[in-house]
C-alpha cells in the first residue's frame, strides 16, 4: 500500500502496478484498461509516491508474476547486479536527478544500462518532463553494425519502406530506387509484404539482394514477415540479412504474436549462421508499440507504457541491429491525439536508449486519430534532437499498403538540413560515389542517365 496526502485528501495505491499506472501521463489506452488516474491531482500524488520509491523495489516486486511470465523471468534472471550497483541506493526521484546530472555522461550511462530494468526506466520516465526525456536520451550512445555503422553521434539513419498493396516487384523497386536517390536506406531497406506466400517472400528477398549486390550498397535488407516464415526462407537458401519480428512486453502478448523467447533465439542463430554481415553480427530487427499488450488482453493490469518498456527487455536480449516503436500506428484507442503520440514517442525513445537499445521510431498516425502532419513534424524534430537512431522513409509519407501516415524522404532532408545530421558513414561514401550527394552531404540533382534510373528501366549501366 502506498499513500500520499495532498491538502485535505489522501490517495492510496494498493500495489506497485497501480502506483505506476496512476503516475502515467494521460492516454486513452490506460483509460480503456481502467488503470489510469482519475484526476490530475491523483496523478501527481502517484508521482510523488513513485519518486520516493527505491529502485531496488522493482527487483523485489515484479509487476507481472515471475512464475507466469517468461519476460519477467528474463528481466529478473538476466539482471546485471554489478552494473546496477552504482545506482542501487537511489530512489526513482534520485535516479531522475542523477540522469540529468553531468555525472551521468555517455560512458557512464552505457556502463549502467545492463543494470537498469524496464520497470525502472518506465518509472523514472513518468516523473520526467519532455525536455528531461530528450536531454537524457541524447546522452545515450548505442552503436550497432551489419554492413554499415548505425547510431553514431550526429548521425541519423533511415529505413527505406517501399511497400506496395499487391507486392508488385516493379512497384516496390520504383519506390526503393526513389528512396535511394533521396539518400534514404542506410538503416535498412525493409518491406512489409501484403502476402504471406513463401514463394513471393522469397522473390522479394532475392530482388532486394540483387539491387544491393549489383550496386554494392553498404546497407541491409529485410522482408518484415513472421519469424517462422523467415526461418523457412533461410532453410530454402534465400538471401536473408535481418530477421524481423513484432514483440511485446508479456509472454501472453508474445504468444498472441505466435512467438516465444526460444523461437527468437532459434531465428537469431539461423541468421548468424549465414554470416552475411560485413562489419558486424547484429542480425535482428524488432518493432514494438504502446497498446500491443492491452489489445491482446495480455497486460496483467500494467499500464501500456510500462508494458512497452518490458518489450525492450526482450529486444535487448537479442542485441538487435534495429528496433523501432510504431508509436501512432495502433490507433487512437491507445494514443488518442497528437499530444499523446508525441509524449509516447519521447518516452519510448528514452526508455529504449536508457536500456542500451538502438531505438528508432516510426513517427506516424492513423487517419482516424486526432493528429496531423504538423504533430509529426513536431515529434520528428524532438526525436532527432534527442539522438534518434533511425526513422522511416515512405514515398510522400503515405503508406499505401498499411494505410497510415508516416514520414517521407523529404522529411528526412528537412531534419538533416536543420540539425546537420549525417548518413551512416559507409553509406555516405557510397552516396557520394554514386553522385547522389555532394561533398557537404547535400542532395544532388539526378541526371536522366543515372545508373539507378537506368536500372528501373530494365537497362544495365
Amino acid at each position: 500500500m502506498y499513500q500520499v496526502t495532498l491538502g485535505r485528501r489522501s490517495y492510496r495505491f494498493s500495489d506497485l502496478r497501480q502506483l505506476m499506472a496512476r503516475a502515467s501521463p494521460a492516454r486513452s489506452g490506460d483509460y480503456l484498461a481502467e488503470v489510469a488516474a482519475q484526476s490530475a491531482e491523483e496523478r501527481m500524488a502517484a508521482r510523488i509516491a513513485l519518486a520516493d520509491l527505491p529502485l531496488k523495489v522493482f527487483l523485489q516486486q515484479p509487476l507481472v508474476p515471475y512464475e507466469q511470465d517468461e519476460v519477467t523471468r528474463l528481466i529478473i534472471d538476466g539482471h546485471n547486479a554489478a552494473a546496477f550497483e552504482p545506482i542501487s541506493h537511489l530512489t526513482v526521484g534520485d535516479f531522475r536527478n542523477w540522469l540529468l546530472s553531468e555525472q551521468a555522461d555517455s560512458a557512464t550511462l552505457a556502463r549502467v544500462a545492463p543494470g537498469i530494468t524496464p520497470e525502472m526506466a518506465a518509472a523514472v520516465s513518468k516523473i520526467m518532463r519532455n525536455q528531461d526525456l530528450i536531454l537524457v536520451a541524447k546522452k545515450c550512445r548505442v552503436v550497432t553494425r551489419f554492413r554499415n555503422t548505425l547510431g553514431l553521434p550526429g548521425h541519423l539513419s533511415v529505413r527505406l519502406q517501399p511497400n506496395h498493396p499487391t507486392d508488385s516487384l516493379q512497384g516496390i523497386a520504383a519506390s526503393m530506387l526513389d528512396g535511394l536517390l533521396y539518400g534514404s536506406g542506410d538503416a535498412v531497406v525493409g518491406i512489409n509484404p501484403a502476402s504471406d506466400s513463401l514463394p513471393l517472400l522469397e522473390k522479394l528477398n532475392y530482388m532486394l539482394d540483387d539491387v544491393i549486390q549489383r550496386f554494392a550498397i553498404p546497407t541491409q535488407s529485410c522482408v518484415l514477415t513472421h519469424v517462422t516464415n523467415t526461418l523457412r526462407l533461410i532453410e530454402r537458401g534465400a538471401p536473408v540479412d535481418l530477421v524481423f519480428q513484432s514483440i511485446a512486453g508479456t509472454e501472453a502478448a508474445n504468444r498472441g504474436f505466435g512467438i516465444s523467447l526460444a523461437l527468437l533465439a532459434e531465428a537469431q542463430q539461423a541468421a548468424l549462421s549465414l554470416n552475411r554481415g560485413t562489419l558486424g553480427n547484429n542480425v535482428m530487427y524488432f518493432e514494438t508499440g504502446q497498446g500491443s499488450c492491452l489489445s491482446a488482453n495480455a497486460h496483467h493490469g500494467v499500464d501500456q507504457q510500462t508494458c512497452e518498456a518490458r518489450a525492450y527487455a526482450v529486444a535487448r536480449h537479442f542485441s538487435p541491429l534495429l528496433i523501432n516503436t510504431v508509436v501512432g500506428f495502433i490507433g487512437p484507442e491507445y494514443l488518442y491525439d497528437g499530444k499523446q503520440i508525441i509524449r509516447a514517442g519521447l518516452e519510448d525513445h528514452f526508455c529504449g536508449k536508457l536500456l542500451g537499445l538502438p531505438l528508432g521510431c516510426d513517427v506516424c498516425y492513423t487517419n482516424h486519430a486526432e493528429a496531423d502532419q504538423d504533430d509529426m513534424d513536431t515529434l520528428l524534430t524532438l526525436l532527432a534532437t534527442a539522438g534518434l537512431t533511425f526513422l522511416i522513409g515512405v514515398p510522400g509519407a503515405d503508406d499505401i499498403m498499411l494505410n497510415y501516415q508516416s514520414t517521407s524522404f523529404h522529411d528526412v532532408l528537412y531534419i538533416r538540413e536543420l540539425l546537420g545530421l549525417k548518413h551512416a558513414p559507409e553509406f555516405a561514401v557510397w552516396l557520394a560515389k554514386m553522385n547522389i550527394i555532394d561533398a557537404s552531404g547535400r542532395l544532388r540533382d539526378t541526371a536522366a542517365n543515372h545508373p539507378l534510373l537506368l536500372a528501373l528501366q530494365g537497362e544495365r549501366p
Side-chain angles (χ1 to χ4, degrees), residues 143-146 220 241-242 268 272 280-285 318-322:
V143 177
T144 58
R145 294 178 176 87
F146 188 76
Q220 36 282 328
D241 288 343
L242 305 182
Q268 182 186 36
L272 287 171
N281 60 358
N282 299 114
V283 297
M284 304 299 282
Y285 175 21
F318 295 101
S319 303
L321 179 75
L322 305 165

Side-chain angles (χ1 to χ4, degrees), residues 229-268:
N229 288 333
T230 305
L231 279 168
R232 294 168 67 189
L233 290 169
I234 292 173
E235 292 170 357
R236 291 164 68 116
V240 172
D241 288 343
L242 305 182
V243 173
F244 167 81
Q245 183 55 49
S246 294
I247 57 174
T250 69
E251 178 180 347
N254 283 326
R255 193 183 308 120
F257 284 141
I259 62 169
S260 64
L261 297 180
L263 179 60
L264 293 177
E266 179 186 352
Q268 182 186 36

Side-chain angles (χ1 to χ4, degrees), residues 192-207:
N192 297 94
S195 169
D196 281 333
S197 163
L198 208 63
L200 175 62
L201 298 175
E202 193 168 24
K203 287 180 182 179
L204 291 175
N205 270 280
Y206 276 106
M207 184 200 73

Side-chain angles (χ1 to χ4, degrees), residues 66 137 197 366-367:
Y66 180 94
S197 163
T366 58
N367 287 315

Side-chain angles (χ1 to χ4, degrees), residues 385-403:
T385 303
L388 185 70
T389 301
F390 74 103
L391 54 85
I392 310 298
V394 177
D398 184 7
D399 192 301
I400 59 173
M401 195 283 282
L402 293 173
N403 291 307

